[in-house]
Amino acid sequence: MFVRNVLQTACPGYFALVWLDAGPALSGADFEFVDDLPATCPRPDAPLPEAFRNAFAEGVRVGLEARGKGRSVHATRIVLRDALWSEIDSNPWSFEVAGRYAATEVLACVREDRAPRQAGRNARTDRPIPPMPSTRTRG
């Protein structure tokens, strides 16, 4: 799944691009979050800040629990695979909002029994999910 939260016309801007996998929780918990980001995500000099990771996980948890009155409607496991961020336009709130978009898409996939689409602000659901930055060849 790919989540996009980009709004760069405001000050501050909001920039978060996140690739993740979602599935049933394995431990029996309502919500599991696994950080499986590559060490260079995607810049070797600046991995995704921990505050952004935590904000994304919190956004997903809050989004999943919103319809379940404090508990996730479905026992869900989220695996964070890759992310892009900006030193200028990214902040914890941009990643928390991206997490909420991810939760909304996860719940829609379960409800509609379909594969994930791009989700979030300015997402292009008519286009395929872009490749993760860590898997692109650099030339």
Side-chain angles (χ1 to χ4, degrees):
M1 177 183 306
F2 171 71
V3 179
R4 174 186 175 93
N5 182 27
V6 178
L7 177 64
Q8 293 178 292
T9 59
C11 188
Y14 298 102
F15 184 90
L17 301 179
V18 182
W19 288 260
L20 64 129
D21 292 334
L26 303 176
S27 69
D30 286 346
F31 175 66
E32 295 176 12
F33 182 78
V34 178
D35 182 346
D36 193 31
L37 287 173
T40 58
C41 181
R43 298 171 9 206
D45 60 326
L48 185 68
E50 187 174 347
F52 295 176
R53 297 170 200 228
N54 295 340
F56 180 76
E58 179 67 7
V60 175
R61 186 191 62 73
V62 167
L64 291 172
E65 292 177 354
R67 300 200 186 251
K69 299 178 183 174
R71 293 192 64 180
S72 181
V73 178
H74 304 285
T76 307
R77 181 176 199 251
I78 299 294
V79 181
L80 183 58
R81 296 290 183 194
D82 213 342
L84 285 176
W85 62 284
S86 162
E87 290 182 20
I88 297 168
D89 290 319
S90 293
N91 53 52
W93 179 245
S94 59
F95 276 85
E96 184 171 334
V97 170
R100 291 175 189 230
Y101 285 132
T104 299
E105 179 63 11
V106 166
L107 293 173
C109 289
V110 172
R111 183 178 59 252
E112 299 167 13
D113 192 27
R114 65 169 170 81
R117 301 185 287 232
Q118 286 192 33
R121 181 179 285 139
N122 301 321
R124 298 294 305 262
T125 58
D126 59 328
R127 293 192 178 167
I129 292 174
M132 292 186 289
S134 63
T135 62
R136 292 184 193 152
T137 57
R138 304 192 192 257

